[in-house]
């Protein structure tokens, strides 16, 4: 018989501990095999693990890849909602523009003809209808003209990358639109107000529409500022007349001699002379001025921003790409130069399709459906020391 003294201690053997853990793990695996989870749960769990592992699948993974992977459901939701609401935004543009035209033709035009001189009437009629034709033409063309897509068949066109979504070659300045679910030549952005992408073949229509719409809103805002002030003061005056109690107080011997019925202390005066038509006309003028002034501010800022980008020879997407390249090369002590920047004047000539002097009138000041100067698949990246086109 072995006796243990009071100072003896039990020692744990490492091999025994490992053996115990292996036994517990084997029994747990045996029980789990008997009660396996449903197939759809195991597949979902395996898919989630695959997504997590895809965040660090190779050494090329950076913060942009992780961000895109994490927020992919959010991007998909936004793209789907924007695609569905595109038709709603187009209908909203048509309804708001039609309401302004109705106010101008039914209310303001008769006032202009009755009060203005013949010279001012001719000016308003000429400029107003030119602006209207330009707005309608460019909005229709920008919404209905396809922005341009790379060919889907084998060809000899040069390309700079392969789209990760389409698995197709991408020419220079081509980007994938998640809402249209296709690659767009010289993509600028997807415009929900057009329900269409702004690309190589409709970029000029989009900018011209923004410009003439902003000009029309500024024109309505400046021309109708005095009408707005008069209508606002009239509405305020109508409110005070409705709130005031109409009548003249009767005092002294008046109640005693029976000038008023029993219990009445004021002599009633006639109601104010204004009708529902007058109030409706004044509210329409206020509505027109507020809408056109607000649109002029925001659309004017957007038009100015796009004009700056066109002067630099870049799109909205290329603005961010060029900024990143400029910062990246600046850290190495080098300077980045946009290969598609031909100079301010030449950039505008290429964008507007101006090839000779008369085109500034026939292709810029008048509606024109001419195509861009290039096909959007190949771009001349050589710097021009002289004007690209003699104008």
């Amino acid at each position: 018989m072995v006796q243990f003294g009071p100072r003896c201690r039990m020692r744990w053997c490492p091999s025994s501990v490992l053996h115990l853990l292996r036994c517990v793990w084997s029994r747990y695996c045996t029980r789990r095999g008997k009660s396996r989870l449903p197939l759809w749960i195991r597949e979902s769990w395996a898919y989630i693990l695959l997504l997590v592992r895809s965040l660090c699948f190779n050494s090329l993974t950076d913060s942009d890849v992780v961000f895109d992977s994490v927020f992919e459901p959010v991007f998909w939701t936004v793209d789907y909602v924007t695609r569905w609401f595109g038709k709603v935004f187009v209908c909203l543009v048509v309804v708001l523009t039609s309401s302004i035209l109705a106010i101008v033709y039914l209310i303001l035009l008769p006032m202009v003809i009755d009060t203005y001189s013949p010279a001012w009437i001719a000016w308003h009629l000429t400029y107003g209808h030119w602006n209207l034709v330009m707005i309608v033409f460019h909005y229709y063309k920008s919404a209905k003209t396809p922005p341009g897509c790379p060919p889907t068949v084998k060809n000899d066109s040069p390309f700079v990358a392969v789209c990760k979504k389409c698995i197709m070659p991408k020419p220079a300045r081509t980007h994938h639109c998640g809402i249209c679910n296709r690659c767009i030549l010289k993509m600028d952005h997807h415009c929900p107000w057009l329900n269409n992408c702004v690309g190589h073949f409709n970029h000029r229509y989009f900018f011209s529409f923004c410009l003439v719409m902003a000009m029309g809103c500024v024109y309505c805002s400046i021309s109708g500022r005095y009408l707005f002030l008069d209508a606002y003061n009239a509405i305020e005056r109508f409110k005070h007349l409705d709130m005031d109690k109409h009548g003249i107080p009767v005092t002294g011997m008046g109640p005693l001699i029976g000038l008023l019925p029993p219990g009445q202390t004021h002599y009633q005066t006639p109601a104010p002379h204004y009708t529902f038509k007058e109030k409706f006309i004044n509210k329409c003028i206020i509505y027109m001025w507020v809408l056109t002034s607000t649109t002029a501010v925001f659309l004017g800022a957007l038009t100015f921003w796009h004009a700056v980008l066109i002067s630099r020879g870049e799109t909205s997407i290329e603005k961010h790409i060029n900024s990143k390249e400029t910062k990246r090369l600046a850290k190495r002590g080098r300077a980045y130069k946009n290969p598609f920047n031909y100079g301010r004047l030449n950039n505008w000539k290429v964008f507007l399709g101006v090839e000779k002097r008369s085109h500034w009138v026939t292709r810029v000041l008048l509606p024109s459906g001419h195509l861009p100067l290039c096909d959007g698949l190949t771009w001349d990246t050589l710097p021009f020391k002289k004007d690209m086109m003699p104008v």
Side-chain angles (χ1 to χ4, degrees):
M1 183 176 181
V2 182
Q3 295 181 355
F4 297 94
R7 294 184 179 180
C8 293
R9 298 180 179 177
M10 184 178 296
R11 296 181 179 178
W12 289 91
C13 179
S15 60
S16 302
V17 175
L18 292 176
H19 180 68
L20 178 62
L21 291 176
R22 289 172 183 172
C23 293
V24 173
W25 178 252
S26 62
R27 293 187 63 183
Y28 171 75
C29 292
T30 304
R31 292 180 180 179
R32 189 179 63 173
K34 294 180 180 180
S35 59
R36 300 183 65 180
L37 295 175
L39 178 62
W40 67 273
I41 295 180
R42 287 186 281 116
E43 290 180 349
S44 301
W45 177 251
Y47 181 69
I48 293 174
L49 290 179
L50 180 63
L51 291 180
V52 174
R53 292 171 183 171
S54 67
L55 298 179
C56 52
F57 69 96
N58 58 22
S59 60
L60 299 178
T61 302
D62 54 7
S63 59
D64 293 336
V65 175
V66 175
F67 182 83
D68 293 341
S69 301
V70 172
F71 286 91
E72 182 65 24
V74 179
F75 296 151
W76 181 86
T77 304
V78 173
D79 293 344
Y80 180 81
V81 172
T82 305
R83 188 184 303 115
W84 188 86
F85 272 95
K87 298 179 181 179
V88 178
F89 285 131
V90 171
C91 293
L92 188 61
V93 171
V94 174
V95 170
L96 293 178
T97 306
S98 301
S99 65
I100 298 300
L101 291 177
I103 294 173
V104 169
Y105 278 104
L106 299 178
I107 298 177
L108 298 184
L109 187 58
M111 297 173 61
V112 169
I113 295 176
D114 293 338
T115 57
Y116 283 21
S117 62
W120 276 109
I121 293 175
W123 153 252
H124 284 293
L125 290 177
T126 303
Y127 177 79
H129 286 90
W130 170 83
N131 205 334
L132 176 60
V133 171
M134 294 288 285
I135 289 174
V136 174
F137 173 80
H138 286 104
Y139 184 76
Y140 177 81
K141 295 291 287 186
S142 58
K144 290 298 183 180
T145 302
C149 300
T152 57
V153 296
K154 186 177 180 180
N155 58 84
D156 297 331
S157 300
F159 63 94
V160 297
V162 176
C163 180
K164 296 183 294 184
K165 302 292 183 64
C166 301
I167 318 298
M168 294 292 294
K170 288 199 308 182
R173 314 185 79 176
T174 300
H175 303 279
H176 185 86
C177 176
I179 300 175
C180 297
N181 198 24
R182 57 181 178 175
C183 286
I184 304 298
L185 298 176
K186 192 194 168 189
M187 179 180 175
D188 187 88
H189 69 287
H190 184 93
C191 182
W193 300 101
L194 302 176
N195 194 27
N196 194 10
C197 259
V198 177
H200 178 63
F201 290 102
N202 64 345
H203 193 183
R204 178 179 65 88
Y205 297 130
F206 167 77
F207 176 78
S208 299
F209 164 72
C210 292
L211 179 62
V212 294
M213 177 64 84
M215 292 172 58
C217 291
V218 171
Y219 165 72
C220 292
S221 179
I222 295 177
S223 301
R225 64 189 185 278
Y226 293 118
L227 293 175
F228 164 75
L229 294 176
D230 294 340
Y232 182 80
N233 293 331
I235 291 294
E236 291 296 322
R237 185 171 63 254
F238 294 157
K239 289 182 180 179
H240 290 300
L241 291 176
D242 292 336
M243 294 174 60
D244 293 340
K245 189 174 182 180
H246 308 295
I248 301 175
V250 178
T251 58
M253 296 297 295
L256 299 178
I257 61 177
L259 291 179
L260 298 176
Q264 185 174 337
T265 60
H266 286 69
Y267 178 75
Q268 297 295 328
T269 56
H273 297 286
Y274 67 88
T275 61
F276 172 78
K277 180 180 178 181
E278 294 178 347
K279 295 178 66 174
F280 178 75
I281 291 176
N282 290 317
K283 290 182 178 180
C284 287
I285 294 175
I286 294 174
Y287 161 78
M288 182 208 68
W289 191 87
V290 171
L291 180 60
T292 54
S293 300
T294 306
T295 306
V297 172
F298 290 101
L299 191 58
L302 178 65
T303 305
F304 177 78
W305 168 248
H306 279 278
V308 172
L309 294 179
I310 295 170
S311 300
R312 297 175 180 174
E314 57 187 8
T315 62
S316 300
I317 297 178
E318 292 172 352
K319 167 64 178 176
H320 300 286
I321 296 176
N322 294 343
S323 298
K324 288 184 178 180
E325 284 296 308
T326 301
K327 294 178 182 178
R328 184 180 67 85
L329 294 179
K331 294 179 181 179
R332 302 181 180 181
R334 302 169 60 185
Y336 174 77
K337 184 176 181 180
N338 181 14
F340 308 109
N341 185 5
Y342 311 125
R344 287 193 180 94
L345 181 58
N346 285 328
N347 289 334
W348 281 103
K349 293 175 184 176
V350 172
F351 178 78
L352 298 174
V354 175
E355 298 179 281
K356 54 185 180 179
R357 190 184 302 273
S358 61
H359 285 171
W360 289 104
V361 177
T362 59
R363 293 188 173 185
V364 179
L365 297 181
L366 296 178
S368 175
H370 65 277
L371 296 176
L373 298 180
C374 61
D375 58 359
L377 299 175
T378 57
W379 297 88
D380 193 351
T381 58
L382 296 176
F384 290 89
K385 296 182 179 180
K386 296 186 296 184
D387 273 358
M388 198 172 55
M389 306 165 201
V391 177

